[in-house]
Amino acid sequence: DAGVTQSPTHLIKTRGQQVTLRCSPKSGHDTVSWYQQALGQGPQFIFQYYEEEERQRGNFPDRFSGHQFPNYSSELNVNALLLGDSALYLCASSLGADIQYFGAGTRLSVL
Amino acid sequence: EDQVTQSPEALRLQEGESSSLNCSYTVSGLRGLFWYRQDPGKGPEFLFTLYSAGEEKEKERLKATITKKESFLHITAPKPEDSATYLCARNSGNTPLVFGKGTRLSVIA
């Protein structure tokens, strides 16, 4: 059984560009949450998707948006990239509000 | 504001030297306290969930305990492969996971 998979593994972008990150949840899970983790910090909650709707959102600007597809996979989009958006982006899946299991993350570098 | 504070920020142990990591939290209506292990450049790996004061969970050399305001991760006779960052997180009601900054553990052979 595959766990949570994220793509791509690494990404390099320049300021002002747009990026899309992808996540496939663990089999049987219906809820996907996205986190941003800066170096030396704990993960910070961006938003959570359930039944293709954004259920909760953290303190992130509207430049951060997402989507969940009928097969429960999800995308995170970031527009107008800033240097400060450089971080490890983590996707976690769960069955409802149960334990969240994380993927290996996407390392985004903004130059 | 709900917070999760972990201490120490970093801990260096000799192989076999037991110790404890601390996670203190301020939240009403705690729904769960979570411990994760994170290796460099990887995603957090789930270790334990604790739900109420007095509960204990064990896995190999790790034991997690919880009171009304703190949780501890006890590491008994650690080995170099236990070196990682240990993250604590809580949720309450319908709120998302709130993480601490983690404790970086280094175990020296």
Side-chain angles (χ1 to χ4, degrees):
Chain A
D1 174 31
V4 180
T5 58
Q6 292 187 242
S7 63
T9 306
H10 296 90
L11 207 48
I12 299 174
K13 292 286 188 179
T14 56
R15 280 179 297 173
Q17 285 190 311
Q18 179 264 344
V19 68
T20 297
L21 311 182
R22 295 177 175 82
C23 172
S24 292
K26 188 176 169 65
S27 178
H29 286 184
D30 57 8
T31 301
V32 172
S33 303
W34 287 92
Y35 293 82
Q36 180 194 67
Q37 187 176 26
L39 205 59
Q41 302 294 313
Q44 297 269 320
F45 175 74
I46 303 175
F47 42 55
Q48 184 180 80
Y49 278 85
Y50 172 71
E51 292 189 341
E52 302 179 53
E53 298 274 337
E54 183 183 289
R55 185 159 69 173
Q56 296 182 70
R57 188 178 183 92
N59 189 25
F60 279 80
D62 292 344
R63 298 186 297 108
F64 289 77
S65 63
H67 189 78
Q68 185 179 34
F69 299 94
N71 67 352
Y72 306 116
S73 66
S74 177
E75 288 182 350
L76 164 65
N77 300 293
V78 187
N79 294 323
L81 284 167
L82 303 174
L83 295 178
D85 294 331
S86 296
L88 181 67
Y89 287 85
L90 295 163
C91 169
S93 74
S94 59
L95 180 61
D98 206 349
I99 298 165
Q100 294 187 22
Y101 293 88
F102 285 81
T106 294
R107 171 71 63 187
L108 173 65
S109 298
V110 182
L111 306 178
Chain B
E1 180 182 320
D2 297 338
Q3 288 190 1
V4 176
T5 303
Q6 292 190 245
S7 62
E9 289 185 10
L11 182 62
R12 184 181 174 99
L13 298 174
Q14 292 292 320
E15 185 173 3
E17 179 186 2
S18 301
S19 187
S20 296
L21 313 182
N22 176 267
C23 171
S24 63
Y25 56 92
T26 55
V27 65
S28 58
L30 180 73
R31 192 163 177 270
L33 190 290
F34 301 81
W35 284 98
Y36 287 85
R37 169 192 169 130
Q38 187 173 27
D39 293 301
K42 303 287 181 63
E45 174 190 347
F46 172 74
L47 293 174
F48 305 110
T49 308
L50 302 165
Y51 294 102
S52 57
E55 190 176 0
E56 298 182 353
K57 295 272 181 75
E58 280 189 76
K59 180 181 178 180
E60 295 180 357
R61 295 177 292 282
L62 301 177
K63 179 179 177 179
T65 62
I66 187 169
T67 69
K68 287 186 178 179
K69 294 183 179 180
E70 294 179 297
S71 178
F72 295 90
L73 185 64
H74 308 278
I75 303 176
T76 302
K79 298 182 178 181
E81 53 261 43
D82 294 322
S83 298
T85 294
Y86 291 85
L87 295 165
C88 167
R90 69 95 183 120
N91 67 1
S92 61
N94 290 321
T95 62
L97 284 180
V98 174
F99 281 86
K101 292 183 178 181
T103 293
R104 291 190 314 278
L105 174 66
S106 299
V107 182
I108 311 303

